[in-house]
Amino acid sequence: MKTIQAGMLVDRPVTEVVLDEAIQRGQVRQKSGLQATSVRFVEPCLAVSFIDGSGVLLPVQHYPEFDDFDVEDFANLKVGFSGTALCHEGKDLHVSIAGMISASKPLMDMAASVIASRNGRQSSAAKAEAARANGRKGGRPRKTDVTD
């Protein structure tokens, strides 16, 4: 998993405009889909639940961030950053849930399969017109073998 160092943010005064922009960014982020509501340790995994009632089990041995954790440390893990990260204040740990999921090859393979299936069902106006045109010609043209 990639570790990102936090940068220094320059303080700027909070005005109505800045506050409105921050609220708007938060609403967009909340609609983006990934919003965990809880985390609990179910040895040997972290069970992360999402706002729609779904969840995922992530085996902690795959994540070096949790190597020095004991059962009590896992009990103190909280969901933070608007449901996008797991946080432990005592250890100053903030881990992206999306990053943890993306580190799992089987989960990413499943996600790719789901996305491909969903995208394959979508029909654009151009696809619909091409299908109608092929239908008027008697259907999709047969493939011809090219032999030299």
Side-chain angles (χ1 to χ4, degrees):
M1 185 173 292
K2 186 168 108 177
T3 303
I4 299 173
Q5 206 59 16
M8 291 293 292
L9 298 177
V10 177
D11 289 336
R12 65 180 191 172
V14 178
T15 63
E16 287 295 321
V17 173
V18 171
L19 186 59
D20 290 341
E21 289 172 357
I23 290 170
Q24 188 175 27
R25 281 193 312 271
Q27 289 170 342
V28 168
R29 176 179 283 178
Q30 188 174 16
K31 291 178 185 175
S32 70
L34 180 68
Q35 189 174 9
T37 55
S38 67
V39 61
R40 62 188 174 97
F41 183 61
V42 182
E43 194 163 344
C45 298
L46 288 173
V48 180
S49 300
F50 297 97
I51 197 164
D52 67 350
S54 65
V56 65
L57 290 174
L58 301 168
V60 294
Q61 74 265 17
H62 292 253
Y63 307 101
E65 295 84 358
F66 301 112
D67 284 348
D68 62 339
F69 271 52
D70 57 26
V71 176
E72 185 178 306
D73 292 327
F74 286 116
N76 291 325
L77 268 177
K78 305 288 182 221
V79 174
F81 292 96
S82 298
T84 62
L86 300 181
C87 304
H88 190 289
E89 294 305 319
K91 293 190 177 277
D92 194 28
L93 177 73
H94 304 92
V95 181
S96 163
I97 296 169
M100 292 177 71
I101 291 171
S102 69
S104 169
K105 181 161 176 27
L107 286 176
M108 290 306 292
D109 289 346
M110 181 183 65
S113 174
V114 169
I115 289 169
S117 173
R118 178 180 283 176
N119 288 343
R121 285 182 277 165
Q122 292 180 350
S123 181
S124 66
K127 281 172 86 174
E129 179 54 37
R132 283 191 290 276
N134 282 337
R136 285 190 292 271
K137 296 178 190 175
R140 180 184 296 263
R142 293 195 183 271
K143 291 183 180 180
T144 58
D145 289 335
V146 178
T147 55
D148 292 343

